[in-house]
Amino acid sequence: MTTLEDIEHYINRIALGDRDAFASLYNSTSAKLFGVTLRVLNNRAEADDALQEVYIKVWRAAGRYQSNGLSPMTWLITIARNHAIDRLRTRKKGQTGLDEVAELADPAAGPEAQAIASSQRAQINDCLDELPADRAKAVRRAYLDGDTYQDLADLMQVPLNTIRTWLRRSLIKLKDCLSQ
Amino acid sequence: MTDDVTDDAPLSAAAEYALGLLTPSEARAFEEQMNRDINLRAELVLWQEHLVTLTDDIAPVAPPEHTFQEIADRLFGVQQKRWSLTSLLAGAASAIALAAAVAFVILPAPNPSHNDLIAGLVGDEIGLQVDAVFDPDTNTLTVDRLAGGPAEGRVFEIWLIAGDDAPVSLGLLPDAPSGQVKIATELAALFAGGVLALSDEPPGGSPTGAPTGDVVAVAPLNSV
């Protein structure tokens, strides 16, 4: 059973160039991170490529992990999410969208990965539920689909400045709720 | 479009930054601001920790079988030798027994002979320069510390890495500028084609039998 302490230990060893620790980290976290890149990119080949780039970043940035204040899975998932969204935005600027049917979750993903995935409490969902549904959706779309203010304005068919004001107010409410 | 929150309620850019809603120039400005403001940084961490739970519902999916090998090839393929060294050094080792078989004695350095193997160990970042010469005729390793040394309260430990084997401790780098290690016969056979490395360790050397601190210098053993 891989614990968060184990993950943190692997990252610290990776910072020293420990390839065995890198393999251990990959084995215990790659299914979750692949789930994330797949969810954002919705294309298995692209998600695989993104996953490779994510672990390359992890290898190179491990030495800076200690100082960023994040818990280890947050650090890893945030790298995966940000990288996948960067790719998604690059793709959107291009002319072709290679949408594929979303992959179903793979039950073969190990129990360790499952345990890590469910180890965090989802307080933000409760707070998002207190917002009007379309605003909660906008926050989720920004985080999980990489929507920009412009994307959201187009989607909701409202002016850009309106969506900006709208979402900022929602974030203030969200912050209040999360800090309770 | 109505809202029950007043327009002037304060909101830093941390949330928008975490969501990726800022323009690139706004994001750079926020980063600069955050570097000076520890509270802003803490706020960003809080947002990131909260937002990441939006991925809780995303089920893990096993990546393709070949993916890890491709990552390793992309990371270590070009500098295979260097990377494999550091990883080997950090890996688990059953080197304690072998390490006990060697000890340092301080002797004058002999002249290199034709079948000697030499390794120039350089740690650029800490200004370290150590020359190591292995004489297969006498199974002795001579180390000359030309510049640099461990930090106060630390020592450097010498390691031999042969092929894919775990690193084997050859003992501690002596305080004196020059010293020799007598190498056991079964270890001596591993020097040809091997690599020497120095790691930063607590007094007395690695307590685990494998390097525990930074690898400060690595060099292959070459013929003279």
Side-chain angles (χ1 to χ4, degrees):
Chain A
M1 172 74 197
T2 309
T3 65
L4 287 177
E5 286 73 31
D6 292 332
I7 305 285
E8 198 151 56
H9 176 71
Y10 296 150
I11 295 170
N12 291 334
R13 292 300 309 172
I14 291 167
L16 300 174
D18 186 338
R19 277 167 69 179
D20 292 338
F22 187 58
S24 300
L25 182 80
Y26 181 87
N27 288 335
S28 50
T29 59
S30 58
K32 179 64 189 181
L33 299 198
F34 189 53
V36 169
T37 59
L38 200 53
R39 163 64 181 79
V40 172
L41 290 161
N42 203 19
N43 172 296
R44 197 171 165 90
E46 264 200 277
D48 181 22
D49 214 30
L51 185 73
Q52 294 185 24
E53 288 157 1
V54 165
Y55 277 95
I56 287 168
K57 282 189 175 184
V58 166
W59 173 268
R60 291 180 177 153
R64 299 193 290 280
Y65 164 68
Q66 285 287 14
S67 60
N68 66 25
L70 295 174
S71 64
M73 281 312 291
T74 300
W75 186 63
L76 293 170
I77 294 171
T78 301
I79 290 174
R81 177 265 176 187
N82 288 353
H83 188 68
I85 281 175
D86 279 349
R87 279 188 75 114
L88 186 69
R89 288 181 175 172
T90 307
R91 184 218 286 171
K92 277 181 182 168
K93 281 182 197 154
Q95 67 280 39
T96 43
L98 298 169
D99 284 329
E100 284 186 359
V101 177
E103 302 276 335
L104 288 174
D106 187 341
E112 291 181 351
Q114 300 277 2
I116 289 165
S118 59
S119 67
Q120 290 153 335
R121 275 295 301 134
Q123 187 196 357
I124 198 167
N125 279 314
D126 298 338
C127 287
L128 281 171
D129 287 346
E130 292 183 10
L131 296 176
D134 51 357
R135 293 159 204 217
K137 182 183 171 190
V139 173
R140 287 199 174 94
R141 284 198 61 88
Y143 192 73
L144 293 171
D145 300 285
D147 277 10
T148 61
Y149 278 128
Q150 188 62 59
D151 294 331
L152 293 169
D154 294 346
L155 184 77
M156 315 262 174
Q157 299 189 311
V158 292
L160 185 60
N161 280 336
T162 306
I163 196 85
R164 204 188 292 269
T165 307
W166 217 61
L167 200 55
R168 279 187 184 151
R169 286 174 181 175
S170 299
L171 290 170
I172 290 166
K173 279 189 180 177
L174 198 53
K175 187 181 172 186
D176 286 345
C177 175
L178 290 170
S179 60
Q180 277 166 19
Chain B
M1 209 62 55
T2 59
D3 222 311
D4 56 2
V5 177
T6 55
D7 234 357
D8 50 10
L11 178 73
S12 83
E16 289 167 291
Y17 180 84
L19 285 167
L21 287 169
L22 300 177
T23 64
S25 62
E26 286 170 339
R28 296 297 86 74
F30 175 76
E31 285 166 0
E32 275 180 32
Q33 202 186 346
M34 185 175 62
N35 285 339
R36 296 189 302 268
D37 185 345
I38 197 163
N39 292 328
L40 210 50
R41 190 178 189 82
E43 194 186 339
L44 176 64
V45 167
L46 275 179
W47 275 109
Q48 287 175 320
E49 293 284 0
H50 280 302
L51 287 167
V52 83
T53 60
L54 290 174
T55 68
D56 280 2
D57 297 336
I58 299 174
V61 182
E65 291 248 326
H66 58 83
T67 300
F68 184 72
Q69 189 55 51
E70 284 177 29
I71 294 166
D73 288 347
R74 286 168 75 171
L75 269 176
F76 313 125
V78 183
Q79 290 182 294
Q80 184 72 40
K81 189 125 191 169
R82 184 191 164 92
W83 287 116
S84 63
L85 287 178
T86 47
S87 107
L88 281 170
L89 278 166
S94 55
I96 298 168
L98 282 168
V102 298
F104 261 106
V105 285
I106 309 299
L107 290 173
N111 293 322
S113 55
H114 70 283
N115 60 351
D116 284 356
L117 296 168
I118 63 168
L121 293 150
V122 175
D124 276 336
E125 288 178 11
I126 54 170
L128 180 71
Q129 194 183 345
V130 175
D131 278 354
V133 180
F134 177 67
D135 181 354
D137 296 327
T138 58
N139 284 352
T140 51
L141 178 72
T142 304
V143 286
D144 289 310
R145 188 153 51 83
L146 306 174
E152 191 78 42
R154 302 288 292 178
V155 298
F156 286 150
E157 190 159 355
I158 311 170
W159 303 87
L160 171 69
I161 305 118
D164 291 327
D165 294 346
V168 176
S169 175
L170 300 178
L172 303 182
L173 188 70
D175 287 337
S178 183
Q180 287 192 324
V181 205
K182 183 75 178 164
I183 305 293
T185 313
E186 65 268 26
L187 262 185
L190 303 175
F191 270 72
V195 173
L196 291 185
L198 296 173
S199 70
D200 179 56
E201 300 292 349
S206 163
T208 66
T212 61
D214 288 346
V215 174
V216 294
V218 177
L221 285 151
N222 291 313
S223 305
V224 177

